[in-house]
Amino acid sequence: MVTIKDTTLIKSFNEGDPMAFKVIFDHYYKILCSYTYHFIRTPYAVDDIVQDIFVALWNRREKFDCIEKISSFLFVSARNACLNHAKHEQMKAEKLKEFVAQTDEAVYDDYIIMAEFDQKLNHWLESLPTECRKIIDMSVSGMKNDEIAKTLNISINTVKNQKVKGFKILKELYKDEYLTILFYIFISLGAK
């Protein structure tokens, strides 16, 4: 078995031997994850960063003549990736702050109302049979009957029948709220 100190490891790695890469990966992966986590403390980002570093290492494998240079490359790349990640997260936070500061209170209220519309509409649609729900949901999303039929590989008449069936069920289940349901669907279609 080849170890990290084996002199043939670098030559095999340079030549593209996956087993040599695996030895390097197995040796450094957890260490790099810990090192990266120390800077950014976001597990999903840590994994992405470390995987990207190993991809970059593999793409540059011919350039390394000793394990120390590989180690340096891995840790410098990890540090730089963490700094880039932190800058990106800071820019996102600043953009969000700007957006919130610039967003008029009425616009924010509109977002809240639309979110409540969507939540209420989803609640009503959940009471429908699966096919009905899927077709009405696609319709509410702005798709036309022929587009729905094509997407689901069914006839246009089936789409129309399922929509009628769905609205009848909604009317029976939510007699007192049926006009509100139609209003929500109308508003939802207008927002698309």
Side-chain angles (χ1 to χ4, degrees):
M1 176 177 193
V2 179
T3 66
I4 200 75
K5 299 289 184 191
D6 196 324
T7 54
T8 60
L9 176 70
I10 299 300
K11 186 174 188 284
S12 298
F13 177 66
N14 294 143
E15 293 170 355
D17 180 5
M19 291 308 295
F21 176 76
K22 184 177 178 351
V23 169
I24 294 168
F25 180 88
D26 289 346
H27 181 77
Y28 285 102
Y29 181 77
K30 287 182 182 176
I31 297 167
L32 277 177
C33 284
S34 291
Y35 179 74
T36 305
Y37 186 77
H38 174 75
F39 291 105
I40 60 174
R41 303 211 181 272
T42 311
Y44 73 88
V46 167
D47 197 45
D48 287 346
I49 287 170
V50 173
Q51 286 180 21
D52 288 345
I53 291 168
F54 277 106
V55 168
L57 175 67
W58 179 255
N59 290 335
R60 294 183 180 126
R61 66 186 172 275
E62 298 91 9
K63 298 180 182 184
F64 300 100
D65 58 2
C66 65
I67 195 67
E68 290 77 16
K69 288 184 180 177
I70 290 174
S71 181
S72 293
F73 171 81
L74 291 172
F75 285 97
V76 168
S77 296
R79 185 197 66 214
N80 291 342
C82 289
L83 292 173
N84 288 340
H85 178 78
K87 282 181 198 172
H88 180 72
E89 291 299 309
Q90 184 177 4
M91 283 191 328
K92 278 180 17 184
E94 287 171 9
K95 292 286 182 194
L96 182 61
K97 263 187 194 175
E98 286 175 27
F99 174 75
V100 169
Q102 292 174 354
T103 302
D104 180 46
E105 200 172 296
V107 172
Y108 180 72
D109 289 345
D110 286 349
Y111 285 125
I112 298 295
I113 290 168
M114 286 309 293
E116 288 174 1
F117 278 168
D118 286 345
Q119 187 178 17
K120 190 74 168 166
L121 185 59
N122 286 333
H123 168 74
W124 288 321
L125 293 180
E126 284 175 5
S127 63
L128 296 174
T130 306
E131 274 308 301
C132 253
R133 178 177 56 236
K134 191 183 305 180
I135 289 170
I136 291 179
D137 194 34
M138 293 169 95
S139 179
V140 169
S141 296
M143 292 179 75
K144 298 188 180 345
N145 289 349
D146 60 330
E147 295 171 325
I148 296 169
K150 210 178 274 185
T151 302
L152 298 177
N153 200 23
I154 57 177
S155 74
I156 293 175
N157 282 337
T158 303
V159 172
K160 290 177 183 177
N161 291 337
Q162 288 291 325
K163 285 170 79 173
V164 168
K165 178 182 173 185
F167 284 113
K168 280 183 180 176
I169 292 170
L170 289 173
K171 190 174 185 177
E172 288 174 23
L173 289 175
Y174 302 103
K175 289 177 186 132
D176 298 335
E177 298 177 278
Y178 188 66
L179 288 176
T180 307
I181 292 170
L182 292 178
F183 175 73
Y184 275 69
I185 290 173
F186 177 75
I187 292 292
S188 189
L189 287 172
K192 305 294 182 207

